[in-house]
Amino acid sequence: MEAAQVLDPVTGARLTGPQLALSERVQKGIREVQVEGQLGNRPTIVVAGRSDTLIPVNHAARAYVGASQRAGSSLLRYYEVTNAQHFDSFIDLLPGYDSRLVPLHVYFNQALDLMYA
């Protein structure tokens, strides 16, 4: 079976040589991090809202954290925020949301501060 051709997104020409090798390296890294959860020595913080109904934590954040732990990622930290979801802009627009939900973006900013520190 012949390997799929990798094309330059700007010119449409087939990649060869060093450009092809770099492209394959990037694609391998994407697979390792996104699909397999192999973070290696990359420090990672995952912040998820427990009340998110569009992207449920069982099918996204928790599953990814589990895959990463299985892959041996030790620099991963997971924060699950009770009563939070990722649609912060809707909290004030929909009646009752402001008394039941908290903005997740605050915790995102805290996670970035932790990563920076």
Side-chain angles (χ1 to χ4, degrees):
M1 183 167 142
E2 187 178 324
Q5 291 186 6
V6 180
L7 305 178
D8 184 309
V10 175
T11 65
R14 183 176 171 215
L15 293 181
T16 59
Q19 285 185 321
L20 177 60
L22 286 172
S23 175
E24 290 170 344
R25 184 174 172 204
V26 168
Q27 292 300 318
K28 180 180 182 277
I30 290 171
R31 273 191 313 278
E32 289 173 351
V33 172
Q34 285 186 334
V35 178
E36 301 166 8
Q38 295 180 15
L39 299 171
N41 62 353
R42 296 173 197 92
T44 305
I45 299 174
V46 175
V47 180
R50 187 174 293 169
S51 296
D52 200 324
T53 56
L54 184 61
I55 306 173
V57 290
N58 267 353
H59 303 291
R62 288 179 189 164
Y64 184 78
V65 168
S68 296
Q69 288 175 335
R70 190 174 47 235
S73 300
S74 62
L75 297 177
L76 173 70
R77 299 295 177 261
Y78 177 57
Y79 298 98
E80 189 172 291
V81 183
T82 304
N83 299 326
Q85 46 82 36
H86 76 277
F87 289 112
D88 287 4
S89 61
F90 293 144
I91 290 176
D92 291 334
L93 296 177
L94 300 170
Y97 271 40
D98 60 344
S99 63
R100 286 183 252 162
L101 298 172
V102 297
L104 188 60
H105 197 81
V106 173
Y107 298 94
F108 166 76
N109 287 337
Q110 289 177 350
L112 288 178
D113 289 342
L114 284 171
M115 182 65 73
Y116 183 73

